[in-house]
Amino acid sequence: MKSCSIFAAIAALTLAAACNGDAEESETIADAVDVHALTPTLEELAPVGRLPQTVQPVRYDVEMRIDPREDAFSGQARITIDLAEAADGVWLHGDDLNVEGVTIQVAGQASAPGTYEEILPTGVSWVGFPETLGPGEVIVDIAYSSRFDPLLAGLFKVEEGGAAYALAKSESIQARRFLPGFDEPGFKAPFSFAVTVPEGDHVILNTPEISRAPAAEPGFETVRFAPTRPLSTYLLSLAVGPFDMVERPDLPPNEIRDFAVPLRGFARQGRGHELKDVLDATGPMLEIFERGLEQPYPYQKLDIIAAPSWPSGATELAGAITYRESRILLGQNPPPAVRRAMLAIHAHEIAHMWFGNLVTPPWWDDLWLKEAFASWGTPFALVELEPDAGHEVDSVVRGLSAMRLDSLGSARRVNEPIERNEDIRNAYDAITYSKGQAVIAMVDAYFGAENFRPALGRYIAEFADGAADSADFYRVIGEVSGEPRLEQVFQSFIGQQGLPLVTVSHACTADGVEAAYAQSRYRPLGSEADLDRSWTIPVCLSLGGADDGSTDRHCTLLEAAAQTETLEGAACPAYVMPNADGAGYYRWSLEPAAWSALADRFDTLPQTEALSVVDSAIASFEAGEGDADALLDVIEAAARSPYRRVAAAPLRSLQRYARLIQSDEALAAFQAVAGDIYRARYNAFADAPSVEEIELRSVIAGFLAMTAKDETVRADLANRAAAFIGYERERDAFALSSDEYGEAFTVAVEDLGPDFFEALLAARRTIDDPRFSAATAPALASAADPALAARVRDLAVDGGLDPREAYRLIETQMFNRATQTDAWAWLGDNFPAFIDAIPRQWPRRTPGLASQTCDLAYVEKLDALFAEHGGLAQGHQRALAQAKETITLCGALKAARGAELEAAFLARAG
């Protein structure tokens, strides 16, 4: 029988005839058509999204030579694959690799040369066999080399303090930049690595080092590692360099885990001592997850790596979690917000060891199964670690933050289908992370931890070392919980875009309280989002007593567009709070009298409910309901709250509203009123503030200085910023906490002039503090002087900055009215150079540079820019749609409510 494959075909009909052995018919068809015109090219055949599932990697054996002092690295990847059917080649991934040779071998036969060709810009490549092979196992051996990536993708290098380090950023599809293979999450296989490096350099991979021996090349040694459990390529760790290593005692076995876990920390030379806090937290966090999931930590060791540079905050590389050093190196006397952020990101990454690593989504449309659950796992661990620190409230704040993006018609759904490699990074947004975790928290709260959480352990156990999609997850939680409505809630929120608005009214009757519910899609002014949405919504009301401060909780599943029910035994309430404990992922609305009753008792609400009140009040105003005076009353009440998060909740909206104000008189009134609202709170801080007050004082100071333009606060920040860098005085390294860096250096650049700008630029070369570097790049970009602003733009493309900092320079100028026009013109002239200066995974987000302009002219400007240069920013289409819609909605809000806001601030300014 003849062997047929798509690559032997000249056309579909010819293929069918040939495979049936009908040579005469085949020749007749060939005579009737232009055979060459019908022959598909590899580019036409290349999969733009998922690779064919008929080929599965079985094992990787990899040898690499890595010297961070050089510009390039090399490797040899021996990949054993299983073919489900005969083929004359396979699709795999290899991005910008210089392939020097390919051999193909079937067990028991001699190897033969194959071919390799990179077909698509996303690294989709074709390996051709010398003949048709399979079904069965085939060994593909690829020798290759490549340069270290300059834009923090794949395998890149960093030079700090005279030392060079190489680091691999594999997620999401960057492993293909340093290793040919099957670079998709659902392809899991064990890896064995041997890495040749300069003598004495540390090499960090996913498994323990098992041997180290001199290499044939003088001055080098070869380090071999234990085979991994089955891993996805995006979880591969590879770090080489003269790191400081901090070894801790092994984490001992416990009632869940029967083996010890070696624990180590790595940081660049001279910074190892700063790993203490993160290493101290690691053991307790690990045990919290083990007990909660009833599943042991799955890997042979755990390394914590502080990378000198890293394109994201952190990455959950299996057994070797890697962080941008500014996220976990706290330094001396870290401010509370910095420590809190470290704990949060660390808990998130540890949760990934189960969610995403041990159990992996098969494709990126189910990214939520790792990112949303790791986000939900953050308060899961931290509330037990620090019960009184309010970490559960941070979870509510994150859910509320996702609602702004979810209000857009262009927002993606949590498990949005992903058809192309170019769109994968679009799944890494607040919808996946924060909406996903808020939905999980809502389900957990409504159905009860005793029903929901045991299902998670079963899910982990059933799919360990494999892949599971949403359908798998829903099946398991349904089987374990015995609650089919639990799946209905998940599917209605995960499987469609948009944000519910729940309207609640009530009437007191002889039988109790009659509650009426209605649901619709929340839409802000100017939105054209599709209204054809309905959800299965867990709604819980908190009914407040008239005198004694007691509350009564009543919950229901809102499935219809409208439904009414009697709350049996409920006393007639003094007020109704439509989102008890702030646990629901929805906005809500009340009748005016009920709003007033609730607002009158704002000070008595728990902070999670107060946060929901602030959010829904702002959302209602931005949807065209209510009036500006009522909104300002809520904002003032929030500012007086004893809770840090509640007091800070309106600040972002106030910053946005400043952009809606047209006249100088009204802007001055806005600054005076907004300043007065928060200045009283700022001046009331105690001489010995609590941790909460320290965090809030820093946040309010930034608002007063940057938005309200408070001269006293600005002078204080600028003076301390000058002292911190030693500007015109002896340096005082304790003049600022790192919480204050951003606002302090921005104010100083704006108020102290060109000489301070030069001093700050020079200080970046001498002050070794990653948070200082991160804060001072946008501070420099705040300079309004045209000559300095032009220098900043030049720095973005030829200043030798970290690629992340290059992006922040232009982002800051686009957010600043004084520099916005010139920055946009510069972007138009320098877009290709700008793309070449920023992290490789960031070009897709560049439309967002204009999203804060609130100027409708930028809708057409964005279209023009990306019509010309969109090919340089693969996957930008969603960010473009969201940026244009954000600008349009801001313009609609300005047109509809800007004058009312101006009048309200002018009236209150008196």
Side-chain angles (χ1 to χ4, degrees):
M1 180 177 177
K2 294 182 180 179
S3 173
C4 296
S5 82
I6 194 168
F7 305 102
I10 60 173
L13 291 174
T14 308
L15 175 63
C19 286
N20 288 326
D22 194 338
E24 182 178 349
E25 182 179 353
S26 176
E27 290 171 3
T28 301
I29 294 171
D31 289 340
V33 298
D34 182 347
V35 171
H36 296 290
L38 290 176
T39 304
T41 65
L42 283 173
E43 186 170 357
E44 292 169 332
L45 294 168
V48 297
R50 297 185 74 171
L51 296 179
Q53 302 299 294
T54 54
V55 182
Q56 295 286 325
V58 175
R59 184 176 68 256
Y60 291 80
D61 295 284
V62 182
E63 296 182 359
M64 297 187 72
R65 181 193 180 279
I66 300 173
D67 185 349
R69 301 166 300 184
E70 299 176 357
D71 295 327
F73 60 92
S74 60
Q76 180 120 2
R78 185 178 178 89
I79 312 170
T80 303
I81 61 176
D82 182 66
L83 301 177
E85 57 190 39
D88 55 8
V90 294
W91 294 105
L92 48 64
H93 297 111
D95 193 354
D96 201 24
L97 302 178
N98 176 30
V99 171
E100 295 149 0
V102 178
T103 60
I104 311 297
Q105 184 179 13
V106 176
Q109 299 180 21
S111 62
T115 62
Y116 177 97
E117 185 177 358
E118 183 176 336
I119 305 301
L120 299 182
T122 54
V124 175
S125 300
W126 173 251
V127 171
F129 297 163
E131 60 181 333
T132 300
L133 300 174
E137 286 195 357
V138 174
I139 298 173
V140 178
D141 216 326
I142 303 174
Y144 64 97
S145 63
S146 186
R147 296 179 66 83
F148 290 111
D149 189 280
L151 300 177
L152 308 183
L155 190 57
F156 63 92
K157 73 172 189 175
V158 182
E159 296 182 2
E160 288 282 355
Y165 306 84
L167 299 126
K169 177 66 164 72
S170 302
E171 191 180 17
S172 52
I173 57 172
Q174 301 301 325
R176 63 189 68 176
R177 297 189 65 82
F178 66 89
L179 179 70
F182 296 83
D183 195 20
E184 293 179 8
F187 289 123
K188 299 182 80 167
F191 290 77
S192 292
F193 271 90
V195 187
T196 298
V197 299
E199 284 182 345
D201 270 8
H202 288 292
V203 190
I204 310 154
L205 273 85
N206 306 92
T207 53
E209 177 182 318
I210 57 175
S211 70
R212 182 180 288 252
E217 182 179 2
F220 286 77
E221 51 191 354
T222 298
V223 187
R224 297 187 181 277
F225 293 84
T228 70
R229 295 179 75 147
L231 290 181
S232 307
T233 48
Y234 82 88
L235 297 171
L236 291 175
S237 172
L238 184 55
V240 177
F243 293 94
D244 282 359
M245 181 178 72
V246 178
E247 290 190 274
R248 286 294 183 90
D250 292 356
L251 302 177
N254 55 35
E255 67 273 19
I256 305 297
R257 173 175 32 84
D258 61 5
F259 60 95
V261 177
L263 174 63
R264 304 181 300 178
F266 294 87
R268 61 185 168 94
Q269 288 180 340
R271 307 299 292 266
H273 63 282
E274 295 183 50
L275 290 161
K276 179 182 183 304
D277 294 270
V278 70
L279 290 174
D280 285 348
T282 300
M285 282 186 188
L286 208 70
E287 290 199 10
I288 290 170
F289 283 112
E290 289 178 319
R291 291 196 307 272
L293 298 173
E294 296 185 345
Q295 298 296 318
Y297 172 73
Y299 300 109
Q300 300 172 51
K301 51 88 176 175
L302 180 55
D303 291 333
I304 307 300
I305 306 166
S309 189
W310 198 249
S312 59
T315 307
E316 67 273 19
L317 308 179
I321 306 172
T322 304
Y323 298 82
R324 188 187 313 157
E325 64 178 9
S326 60
R327 302 302 300 268
I328 60 169
L329 299 185
L330 302 190
Q332 293 182 344
N333 301 315
V338 169
R339 181 180 178 277
R340 177 185 296 273
M342 180 275 289
L343 291 175
I345 196 170
H346 196 40
H348 179 101
E349 302 308 324
I350 289 180
H352 269 311
M353 298 301 108
W354 292 267
F355 297 108
N357 294 15
L358 185 60
V359 180
T360 306
W363 183 241
W364 302 105
D365 49 6
D366 278 318
L367 183 71
W368 78 282
L369 288 173
K370 78 181 190 73
E371 295 300 348
F373 273 97
S375 298
W376 172 80
T378 300
F380 175 89
L382 295 184
V383 167
E384 182 172 338
L385 191 70
E386 298 182 336
D388 300 323
H391 293 291
E392 72 283 0
V393 185
D394 291 333
S395 178
V396 172
V397 171
R398 285 191 290 272
L400 293 173
S401 71
M403 292 183 181
R404 180 159 295 277
L405 179 57
D406 209 15
S407 299
L408 299 180
S410 56
R412 49 183 295 279
R413 71 194 211 193
V414 175
N415 64 343
E416 184 80 17
I418 295 174
E419 305 296 339
R420 301 176 62 87
N421 281 285
E422 293 90 339
D423 293 329
I424 289 169
R425 289 303 300 181
N426 289 321
Y428 288 79
D429 66 358
I431 298 299
T432 296
Y433 286 72
S434 298
K435 177 180 179 177
Q437 69 92 20
V439 172
I440 296 167
M442 176 174 66
V443 168
D444 190 35
Y446 183 85
F447 290 97
E450 69 280 4
N451 292 319
F452 177 57
R453 296 184 186 181
L456 296 182
R458 160 83 176 274
Y459 163 74
I460 294 293
E462 181 168 336
F463 294 100
D465 289 324
D469 60 14
S470 292
D472 294 320
F473 172 72
Y474 297 147
R475 175 183 60 78
V476 172
I477 62 172
E479 290 175 354
V480 175
S481 69
E483 177 52 85
R485 298 178 305 167
L486 192 150
E487 178 181 346
Q488 294 170 17
V489 174
F490 266 120
Q491 289 186 326
S492 73
F493 280 87
I494 300 301
Q496 63 181 342
Q497 63 175 168
L499 174 65
L501 174 67
V502 176
T503 302
V504 178
S505 61
H506 74 282
C508 298
T509 70
D511 297 324
V513 176
E514 186 176 85
Y517 308 90
Q519 64 164 293
S520 59
R521 182 176 185 175
Y522 172 77
R523 292 203 312 185
L525 286 163
S527 173
E528 297 180 357
D530 183 6
L531 289 173
D532 186 19
R533 294 285 186 279
S534 65
W535 292 263
T536 300
I537 311 173
V539 176
C540 290
L541 307 183
S542 180
L543 308 183
D547 301 316
D548 60 3
S550 63
T551 58
D552 189 13
R553 181 187 176 101
H554 292 267
C555 297
T556 189
L557 271 184
L558 176 58
E559 299 177 88
Q563 64 190 53
T564 302
E565 59 185 52
T566 299
L567 309 181
E568 300 289 347
C572 190
Y575 69 89
V576 174
M577 168 59 198
N579 190 356
D581 297 324
Y585 184 78
Y586 53 84
R587 283 176 169 153
W588 47 265
S589 180
L590 292 167
E591 295 173 330
W595 254 117
S596 296
L598 179 60
D600 288 344
R601 292 160 177 82
F602 182 87
D603 292 344
T604 68
L605 299 176
Q607 56 182 316
T608 51
E609 293 184 2
L611 285 166
S612 183
V613 170
V614 174
D615 175 77
S616 283
I618 291 170
S620 179
F621 178 78
E622 294 183 6
E625 304 295 331
D627 58 51
D629 277 326
L631 175 64
L632 291 181
D633 287 342
V634 172
I635 290 173
E636 287 189 2
R640 294 192 302 267
S641 171
Y643 303 119
R644 168 179 60 85
R645 300 164 186 82
V646 177
L651 293 180
R652 286 189 64 186
S653 293
L654 285 172
Q655 291 163 350
R656 289 202 324 276
Y657 295 160
R659 302 202 308 273
L660 308 182
I661 294 175
Q662 304 292 309
S663 71
D664 291 341
E665 180 186 9
L667 182 60
F670 165 83
Q671 291 169 348
V673 172
D676 287 345
I677 289 173
Y678 278 95
R679 192 177 296 107
R681 183 65 189 275
Y682 182 77
N683 291 332
F685 287 119
D687 292 334
S690 66
V691 168
E692 286 276 287
E693 287 179 314
I694 292 171
E695 288 194 54
L696 181 59
R697 182 179 176 88
S698 175
V699 172
I700 292 178
F703 173 78
L704 291 174
M706 303 299 298
T707 304
K709 305 297 183 183
D710 184 291
E711 293 183 1
T712 301
V713 176
R714 288 178 70 89
D716 173 62
L717 287 174
N719 182 61
R720 291 193 288 124
F724 184 87
I725 67 168
Y727 176 64
E728 297 183 341
R729 70 199 79 180
E730 184 177 349
R731 183 179 180 228
D732 179 1
F734 299 99
L736 289 173
S737 78
S738 58
D739 281 357
E740 301 171 303
Y741 283 171
E743 291 82 5
F745 291 117
T746 296
V747 167
V749 167
E750 291 176 348
D751 292 358
L752 300 183
D755 288 345
F756 181 83
F757 178 97
E758 300 295 346
L760 184 59
L761 194 59
R764 284 171 50 86
R765 295 189 289 269
T766 59
I767 297 177
D768 185 9
D769 178 346
R771 280 185 290 279
F772 172 78
S773 297
T776 51
L780 290 166
S782 67
D785 176 86
L788 293 180
R791 279 187 62 196
V792 166
R793 293 189 287 273
D794 290 340
L795 284 172
V797 294
D798 60 14
L801 299 181
D802 180 288
R804 289 174 292 109
E805 294 177 344
Y807 188 93
R808 300 298 184 209
L809 293 179
I810 305 305
E811 180 181 53
T812 302
Q813 288 203 344
M814 282 300 302
F815 286 3
N816 188 337
R817 287 179 179 178
T819 55
Q820 189 178 97
T821 300
D822 288 342
W824 184 260
W826 179 91
L827 264 179
D829 293 337
N830 297 275
F831 196 78
F834 180 63
I835 292 297
D836 287 341
I838 65 177
R840 193 170 298 281
Q841 295 189 28
W842 288 18
R844 64 178 179 83
R845 66 167 67 175
T846 49
L849 291 169
S851 63
Q852 303 301 314
T853 59
C854 204
D855 180 347
L856 295 177
Y858 276 94
V859 172
E860 293 185 3
K861 292 179 179 181
L862 277 167
D863 278 335
L865 179 66
F866 285 91
E868 180 179 1
H869 294 300
L872 301 176
Q874 293 183 352
H876 73 274
Q877 288 82 0
R878 183 168 296 278
L880 177 61
Q882 291 177 347
K884 290 163 58 179
E885 186 179 2
T886 300
I887 295 167
T888 300
L889 295 182
C890 186
L893 183 62
K894 180 191 291 186
R897 313 224 68 169
E900 182 185 351
L901 274 172
E902 288 189 5
F905 282 113
L906 285 166
R908 294 196 179 211

